[in-house]
Amino acid sequence: MRTYQELFRTPEFTPFFLTASLQVAAQTVGGLALGTLIYAATGSPLLSALAMFGPSLAQVIGATTLLSAADRLPPRAAMTGLALLFGLGAAAQAVPGLPVWAAFAVLLGLGMIASLGGGVRYGLLGEILPREGYLLGRSVLNMSAGTMQICGFAVGGVLVTTLSPRGTLLTAAVLYVAAAAVARFGLSSRPPRAAGRPSVTQTWRNNARLWSSKPRRYVYLALWVPNGLIVGCESLFIPYAPAHSGLLFAFAALGMLAGDTLTGRFVPQRWRARLGAALRLLLAAPYLVFALHPALPVAVAVVVLASIGYSASLLLQERLMSLTPDELSGHALGLHSSGMLTMQGVGAALAGAVAQFTSPATAMAVIAAASVAVTLALAPGLRPDRRPPGPDGVRDLRDVRDLPTAK
């Protein structure tokens, strides 16, 4: 599967695509509104950053307690219910006079629930598409996310000005409800991918099984840490340029869109392993320019260039799929999503803390340098594995112990 036409002809991909796109739009608009609301109320770069990306910190709680449900719930019902819960949370945050601590309490609950959403969503994508079509499908979803973020930040900035942040949060709630409706009426009813009841014990057992493989550990760390630190840089756009933060966010999404389009559609298979390391460095290195406190046009150019590097995640996800047994695909992708978002919350907290004692520009440069250092440290463990695939297509033969015993 190499063309977009083939992709959208696949049954159920279109409603799946629309559901995911509406949720990204809702998250983008709501996050900008809440970050603006918290910054106006507190004047704190740290709290503003946590308002936009802090819910990701709660993903670690969900990843260690709820994630086994990703393969043990009917996907359509789970996606519909989760979208409705997110809509309810956005509406609650729009209540006039809601204390800051209460807004963060709602964020904590939504972050825990979101850890389950990633596993359900991307596990279902693996069912809708054949394995060879996963990279293209994931690329299109990332492209959609970039487009929705560009539009969401642009429209969200207008809505915040015209409707107020609380009115914009209500708009996000409506988008979540629309996503729930598309999931309910556009997707087919499917049984869970795995038998048994979800439990904390099973979540821990599956996490340990996935983490037991050294190649998978390197892939997970590369997916989580460098990416999360750079999102920490992005979390400082509001205090760096309060009047133009929506512009910076929109151009970051534009760079991500360009990178995902090129990598997912046009980069040949033989180049992918070679490009991975360069793209991971590209994600962080341009942000070092912020040490010079650049003017807005230079900052925009830096952000666009760096965001192309986000496409490295596509290549790492493809490698993760090749290292994971099918019956753990939803859990593995959910762990990736939860860990990535958790590290984004950690990155936002670190960047906000550094900015409190220095400046937003200095903090971005410091966090970018840390991302470069982590990427270089992980590079030896991410060298391409040239051995042939093992049983069930699991490429790393050290993972054969993870496969179910034939009966």
Side-chain angles (χ1 to χ4, degrees), residues 215-368:
R216 277 198 298 261
R217 285 199 298 273
Y218 271 94
V219 172
Y220 274 128
L221 290 172
L223 280 165
W224 295 344
V225 183
N227 175 304
L229 290 171
I230 297 308
V231 170
C233 295
E234 294 180 2
S235 74
L236 297 175
F237 286 170
I238 291 176
Y240 180 78
H244 302 287
S245 59
L247 182 69
L248 289 172
F249 281 119
F251 273 93
L254 178 64
M256 184 178 71
L257 173 62
D260 285 340
T261 302
L262 292 172
T263 302
R265 179 65 180 86
F266 298 107
V267 173
Q269 179 71 40
R270 65 182 182 276
W271 289 6
R272 289 175 185 170
R274 299 173 185 173
L275 280 177
L279 287 172
R280 290 191 293 274
L281 285 174
L282 179 63
L283 177 62
Y287 275 95
L288 298 174
V289 173
F290 277 91
L292 303 176
H293 297 254
L296 183 64
V298 177
V300 167
V302 165
V303 166
V304 171
L305 179 63
S307 297
I308 293 172
Y310 278 121
S311 60
S313 293
L314 283 176
L315 307 181
L316 289 167
Q317 287 172 46
E318 185 180 41
R319 185 167 181 179
L320 177 64
M321 292 293 285
S322 75
L323 293 170
T324 303
D326 288 341
E327 79 276 8
L328 282 179
S329 61
H331 193 116
L333 292 166
L335 184 61
H336 146 57
S337 177
S338 297
M340 179 184 69
L341 291 170
T342 297
M343 282 307 305
Q344 288 177 3
V346 171
L350 287 174
V354 174
Q356 288 282 109
F357 296 100
T358 56
S359 70
T362 300
M364 281 190 256
V366 169
I367 297 300

Side-chain angles (χ1 to χ4, degrees), residues 13-79:
F13 181 77
T14 297
F16 180 93
F17 171 84
L18 291 174
T19 301
S21 298
L22 285 168
Q23 286 189 294
V24 172
Q27 182 180 2
T28 303
V29 169
L32 180 61
L34 188 63
T36 303
L37 193 65
I38 296 298
Y39 188 65
T42 66
S44 169
L46 174 59
L47 291 179
S48 174
L50 289 176
M52 292 194 70
F53 299 100
S56 304
L57 287 169
Q59 294 252 353
V60 71
I61 303 173
T64 55
T65 56
L66 303 176
L67 204 48
S68 66
D71 293 307
R72 290 171 170 80
L73 292 175
R76 184 180 70 177
M79 288 183 66

Side-chain angles (χ1 to χ4, degrees), residues 134-207:
Y134 182 84
L135 178 65
L136 183 62
R138 192 68 177 88
S139 162
V140 166
L141 289 180
N142 284 1
M143 290 161 57
S144 168
T147 303
M148 290 299 104
Q149 287 175 356
I150 292 170
C151 297
F153 284 124
V155 174
V158 174
L159 291 176
V160 165
T161 302
T162 57
L163 292 181
S164 80
R166 288 190 171 86
T168 307
L169 281 166
L170 290 176
T171 302
V174 171
L175 290 171
Y176 278 124
V177 171
V182 174
R184 174 61 183 83
F185 298 107
L187 298 174
S188 298
S189 178
R190 281 182 168 84
R193 285 180 291 275
R197 297 180 60 183
S199 68
V200 175
T201 301
Q202 188 61 47
T203 297
W204 277 88
R205 186 178 296 121
N206 287 350
N207 286 345

